[in-house]
Amino acid sequence: MTDDVAVEETQASTDEAPEGDARYLSRQISELDFNNRLLDLAEEQSVPLLERVKFLALFSERIDEFFQVQVAGLKRQVSADLPSRSLDGRTPTQQLGAIRAKLAPMVARQAGMFTGEIVPELAKSGISLLDWTSLDAADRRHLAELFDQEILPILTPLAVDPRHPFPYISDRSLNVGTVVRDPDGNDARFARVKVPPILPRLIRLLDGERFVFLEDVMAANLDGLFPGMVVGEPCFFRVTRDADLTVDEDEAENILAAVREDLRQRRFLPVVRLEIESKATPDVVNLLLAELGIGADDAYQIDGPVGLDGIWALHGLDRPELLDEPWVPVTRPPLGSDGDEPVDLFSILSRRDVFVHHPYDSFATSVEALLNEAAGDPGVLAIKQTLYRTSGDSSIIAALTRAAERGKQVVVLVELTARFDEQANIEWARVLEEAGAHVVYGLVGLKTHSKTTLVVRREGRSIRRYCHVGTGNYNPKTAKMYEDLGILSARPELGNDLTDFFNSLTGLSHPPAYHDLILSPRGIKERVIEEIRAETLTGPDGRIVIKCNGLDDPEVIDALYEAAAEQVQVDLIVRGICCLRPGVPGLSETVRVRSIVGRFLEHSRIFRFGSAGRPVRYFIGSADLRRRNLDRRVEAMIPVLDEEARRQLDEVLEINLADDVQSWALGADGEWSRVPTIEGVATQERLQDLVKDRQAIHEAPPSARPTTWGWFSSRRSRSR
């Protein structure tokens, strides 16, 4: 597989980004800015305490991945001496310097927030995180016994001396380091003990919600690992390694075997970061830097616990008063049962399209229901699906397996190279193949990221096709945490398109001309730019609203700049990376960019072109406006034709643009700032309220139902 980062930056330098081009913002810095917004939420006093803990843990996980992929890619460019530049004109070395300057204060902010704010607030709520020095004698005796009986037997102390080379340090492993010496001699040696990942990071004391970090217990009992030796002051450290797979799909005879081999090799990839306690001595820091083969700029000294991804356990405590109020997704009214009669999903879809919005609408009673019903329906002949990521106990896999075992034609495209889910996807592929499903692994050189399902059913003497096209993965767990959209449909045109699409994925045919389906590569970018240019021609009457997770494609950005030059009004709702610079006089004065961050991860992609009085075009799909999505992935986008679905997309977009609680705005200087709260519109809370109202209206007698309802009508009534 070609290196994503190297390709993106090289293309930027040769085609789109002259040195010092101020039209574009740095992709890496923009990604760090999104992570900084997570820290803003962790700092927000109105956010429930354990949700603030969650945002700190999420920040740690995302920064880990940033180093594993983005920083690692830049370091490979530096090592290869590639003459590449980023969109904003920086060399890889300059980008690494900018990342360090941006990230170091963020890391310090996270550590200070945890130790100075979160830990004291937890203590006020009866959840104490204690260090060894604050424990009484009884606690220490208990933990010493626990160490001897359950921890010590699985530890392996590794010393560094002429007979013992520096040990291999695995990716993201937490370690206790110390210097030991023989009391009869002067030789001092460094020793390392890995904190076992199989054990809980937080040890609960016997009397309730008091906790001690596992590494603190190990550090206090190191004498038991080095009997007869003088043990120095312990310190905690952690390394991050390059984690990008480099499967050469053009040369690999068997892509499955190639991915398996690369997974084995991943753990030996270079170190790209060292996290270490700030109290570590310079000698220990320098030793680690030298042995790991990294420089001082790759080390981050931490004033607090190292690796705060380990505090996820706190978020799982049974303390509902410290968490967001639970949200139970509702069944969208067209899919709900009518009294004791079971839902006939096929009958519903044969009459109309159904729009679903997760996690507000239930994934279980829509997408999962379609697959479950298809698996058991004797009229269903075939099920075809693209599978990028799914959950560990996937009901989706269970339904596909049942269908295959009952003799239905089941075809699943499993994307083996979905980053960090490679091993899980290999296992799902094996399960499906053993059940009799046809499993394919996508197209050479392209990741298949589309979210598409096709169900083929015999109805009397004819064949009918039922479809789902969405913006999110077929993952029941993330469907409760990620905001996503989907369309369930039995429109013949879409069914024909998906039939041809799956045949092109599994066979050797060239993609045909599609009626509704728009694909990448060579499709979505071109259509989006075509729609932008159509609005550009209308000048000040033009209107563009786009909601996505990332925008870094220079051709799309330039098209939006051209629209702005003609005074087209452009609103971009971009959760994460945005390389477009809004509000610049003479370049992007009519462009506004905002990001919404809340309890649910905003993940849907919506494209709206046109304004009142002119034809308005709506699209949803799996692709962000990023080069990786538009040029190197198989993505699917469709027009939204159902009037009810279009109305609800307008509702979602208007609420997003009215948000003044969960929103940040991007300035012309590239800096993000909170949108001032005036009306108090919080997108996710407002959508929850609307779903509850919709459910109540559906359950009310017909005579009691309003003739108009929704965000638009309720907002108009408030304004009156």
Side-chain angles (χ1 to χ4, degrees), residues 460-720:
R461 295 184 178 181
S462 63
I463 296 292
R464 191 156 200 161
R465 283 167 279 204
Y466 296 86
C467 314
H468 172 262
V469 178
T471 68
N473 294 311
Y474 291 109
N475 187 327
K477 289 187 176 179
T478 57
K480 297 177 182 177
M481 300 180 287
Y482 286 24
E483 180 268 345
D484 272 304
L485 305 167
I487 297 288
L488 295 160
S489 177
R491 285 191 294 110
E493 298 85 358
L494 184 57
N496 290 337
D497 281 354
L498 284 183
T499 299
D500 291 340
F501 172 59
F502 279 104
N503 287 343
S504 71
L505 289 178
T506 60
L508 297 175
S509 59
H510 289 287
Y514 295 107
H515 185 276
D516 285 342
L517 199 61
I518 309 161
L519 300 177
S520 71
R522 298 179 303 277
I524 293 178
K525 178 196 290 191
E526 291 75 9
R527 182 60 176 271
V528 168
I529 291 175
E530 176 186 320
E531 295 289 350
I532 292 171
R533 287 177 175 161
E535 292 305 297
T536 303
L537 293 174
T538 68
D541 291 333
R543 183 80 170 101
I544 298 169
V545 184
I546 296 174
K547 181 179 185 293
C548 60
N549 304 312
L551 168 60
D552 69 12
D553 185 89
E555 294 178 62
V556 174
I557 292 173
D558 286 347
L560 290 168
Y561 285 155
E562 291 169 10
E566 299 300 326
Q567 299 301 303
V568 174
Q569 297 299 309
V570 180
D571 279 293
L572 306 176
I573 306 159
V574 186
R575 186 196 75 207
I577 294 169
C578 181
C579 296
L580 177 146
R581 192 185 291 272
V584 178
L587 178 69
S588 56
E589 289 176 272
T590 62
V591 181
R592 295 162 294 275
V593 179
R594 62 170 47 208
S595 171
I596 293 176
V597 186
R599 65 181 292 189
F600 305 130
L601 184 73
E602 295 290 324
H603 193 250
S604 65
R605 292 92 171 182
I606 307 172
F607 306 87
R608 183 190 188 277
F609 304 96
S611 58
R614 296 188 301 106
V616 180
R617 293 88 66 202
Y618 302 79
F619 304 85
I620 67 167
S622 60
D624 290 310
L625 298 178
R626 299 188 60 188
R627 281 170 289 181
R628 68 178 191 181
N629 299 90
L630 301 176
D631 297 336
R632 297 192 302 281
R633 289 185 174 185
V634 177
E635 307 272 10
M637 181 172 84
I638 59 170
V640 178
L641 305 177
D642 180 77
E643 285 302 322
E644 174 67 12
R646 289 155 66 96
R647 189 190 71 80
Q648 296 215 9
L649 287 177
D650 266 333
E651 185 174 80
V652 170
L653 292 174
E654 184 173 332
I655 292 173
N656 274 252
L657 295 175
D659 187 297
D660 57 0
V661 175
Q662 297 177 304
S663 291
W664 282 254
L666 179 61
D669 58 357
E671 297 296 322
W672 291 87
S673 59
R674 290 294 288 260
V675 172
T677 299
I678 298 174
E679 290 194 17
V681 177
T683 291
Q684 297 180 357
E685 292 179 10
R686 186 59 55 90
L687 287 169
Q688 287 175 311
D689 290 341
L690 288 175
V691 168
K692 292 175 185 175
D693 292 346
R694 184 184 298 123
Q695 190 74 4
I697 291 170
H698 175 70
E699 294 171 355
S703 60
R705 297 174 185 172
T707 55
T708 60
W709 170 86
W711 163 255
F712 303 112
S713 57
S714 63
R715 204 172 188 212
R716 282 195 295 268
S717 65
R718 285 199 303 275
S719 66
R720 288 196 294 268

Side-chain angles (χ1 to χ4, degrees), residues 129-257:
L129 294 180
L130 306 173
D131 59 30
W132 190 264
T133 59
S134 63
L135 298 173
D136 61 26
D139 287 331
R140 292 187 183 186
R141 282 195 301 271
H142 164 67
L143 290 173
E145 291 175 5
L146 182 71
F147 177 82
D148 289 338
Q149 295 172 9
E150 299 187 23
I151 301 174
L152 177 61
I154 61 176
L155 299 181
T156 303
L158 297 171
V160 180
D161 60 31
R163 297 181 60 184
H164 300 89
F166 190 83
Y168 169 79
I169 310 293
S170 55
D171 180 43
R172 292 171 298 159
S173 65
L174 185 61
N175 303 270
V176 183
T178 189
V179 175
V180 298
R181 64 179 178 85
D182 192 318
D184 299 328
N186 294 321
D187 286 344
R189 300 292 183 186
F190 179 77
R192 167 258 189 172
V193 185
K194 181 177 179 178
V195 178
I198 198 171
L199 297 178
R201 177 80 183 276
L202 290 169
I203 298 176
R204 188 194 294 257
L205 294 172
L206 294 175
D207 57 351
E209 292 180 343
R210 294 191 305 142
F211 298 87
V212 182
F213 280 103
L214 171 60
E215 62 267 28
D216 284 342
V217 176
M218 291 173 55
N221 292 274
L222 279 181
D223 290 348
L225 288 169
F226 304 97
M229 303 293 286
V230 177
V231 181
E233 184 71 16
C235 68
F236 308 125
F237 68 95
R238 184 175 183 262
V239 304
T240 310
R241 292 182 178 272
D242 184 336
D244 215 17
L245 285 173
T246 55
V247 178
D248 190 336
E249 295 170 347
D250 293 321
E251 297 180 6
E253 294 183 6
N254 184 319
I255 184 64
L256 181 59

Side-chain angles (χ1 to χ4, degrees), residues 2 16 26 44 61 162 266 415 442 501 572 617 640 654 663:
T2 307
E16 301 296 342
S26 163
E44 184 64 54
E61 290 183 342
R266 176 183 275 176
E415 181 48 70
F501 172 59
L572 306 176
R617 293 88 66 202
V640 178
E654 184 173 332
S663 291

Side-chain angles (χ1 to χ4, degrees), residues 264-530:
R264 283 192 287 268
Q265 295 298 321
R266 176 183 275 176
R267 63 193 189 98
F268 299 111
L269 292 174
V271 172
V272 294
R273 176 182 57 163
L274 168 67
E275 298 169 275
I276 189 166
E277 273 191 304
S278 56
K279 70 178 184 180
T281 66
D283 287 344
V284 168
V285 174
N286 290 332
L287 169 71
L288 289 171
L289 292 177
E291 294 289 353
L292 295 171
I294 56 177
D297 283 348
D298 300 314
Y300 290 79
Q301 296 194 326
I302 311 295
D303 286 322
V306 176
L308 282 181
D309 57 320
I311 62 176
W312 268 113
L314 295 173
H315 186 260
L317 293 175
D318 186 18
R319 295 293 300 272
E321 75 279 12
L322 302 179
L323 295 164
D324 285 324
E325 182 180 349
W327 170 252
V328 180
V330 304
T331 298
R332 183 159 284 268
L335 305 178
S337 61
D338 187 9
D340 296 329
E341 292 296 319
V343 174
D344 184 347
L345 197 57
F346 294 124
S347 176
I348 294 168
L349 296 182
S350 67
R351 297 190 300 271
R352 57 169 296 182
D353 288 359
V354 175
F355 169 85
V356 286
H357 191 191
H358 312 300
Y360 310 105
D361 297 325
S362 170
F363 187 79
T365 58
S366 55
V367 179
E368 285 184 78
L370 174 65
L371 288 165
N372 284 323
E373 193 166 335
D377 190 302
V380 168
L381 307 176
I383 304 173
K384 302 184 180 185
Q385 185 176 71
T386 54
L387 195 64
Y388 191 73
R389 304 184 197 272
T390 191
S391 59
D393 54 350
S394 176
S395 57
I396 299 295
I397 298 294
L400 294 170
T401 300
R402 286 197 309 275
E405 290 172 343
R406 292 172 180 175
K408 302 180 190 301
Q409 179 92 343
V410 175
V411 179
V412 185
L413 189 146
V414 178
E415 181 48 70
L416 292 183
T417 60
R419 186 176 288 134
F420 305 120
D421 275 305
E422 298 94 344
Q423 188 59 53
N425 285 0
I426 288 172
E427 293 302 316
W428 293 132
R430 181 186 58 81
V431 169
L432 289 165
E433 284 182 328
E434 289 178 353
H438 298 290
V439 178
V440 293
Y441 303 124
L443 302 178
V444 172
L446 300 172
K447 286 187 180 182
T448 301
H449 189 249
S450 63
K451 325 299 182 185
T452 49
T453 297
L454 174 68
V455 175
V456 181
R457 186 175 189 249
R458 179 176 295 281
E459 297 179 356
R461 295 184 178 181
S462 63
I463 296 292
R464 191 156 200 161
R465 283 167 279 204
Y466 296 86
C467 314
H468 172 262
V469 178
T471 68
N473 294 311
Y474 291 109
N475 187 327
K477 289 187 176 179
T478 57
K480 297 177 182 177
M481 300 180 287
Y482 286 24
E483 180 268 345
D484 272 304
L485 305 167
I487 297 288
L488 295 160
S489 177
R491 285 191 294 110
E493 298 85 358
L494 184 57
N496 290 337
D497 281 354
L498 284 183
T499 299
D500 291 340
F501 172 59
F502 279 104
N503 287 343
S504 71
L505 289 178
T506 60
L508 297 175
S509 59
H510 289 287
Y514 295 107
H515 185 276
D516 285 342
L517 199 61
I518 309 161
L519 300 177
S520 71
R522 298 179 303 277
I524 293 178
K525 178 196 290 191
E526 291 75 9
R527 182 60 176 271
V528 168
I529 291 175
E530 176 186 320

Side-chain angles (χ1 to χ4, degrees), residues 16-35:
E16 301 296 342
E19 183 173 355
D21 195 333
R23 294 178 302 156
Y24 307 110
L25 299 172
S26 163
R27 180 164 55 84
Q28 284 81 10
I29 298 303
S30 187
E31 183 166 344
L32 290 179
D33 283 336
F34 171 70
N35 291 309

Side-chain angles (χ1 to χ4, degrees), residues 3 6 10 72-84 92-93 96:
D3 179 303
T10 302
L74 290 170
K75 283 180 167 291
R76 287 196 297 274
Q77 292 179 58
V78 172
S79 297
D81 197 24
L82 292 175
S84 57
T93 299
L96 289 170

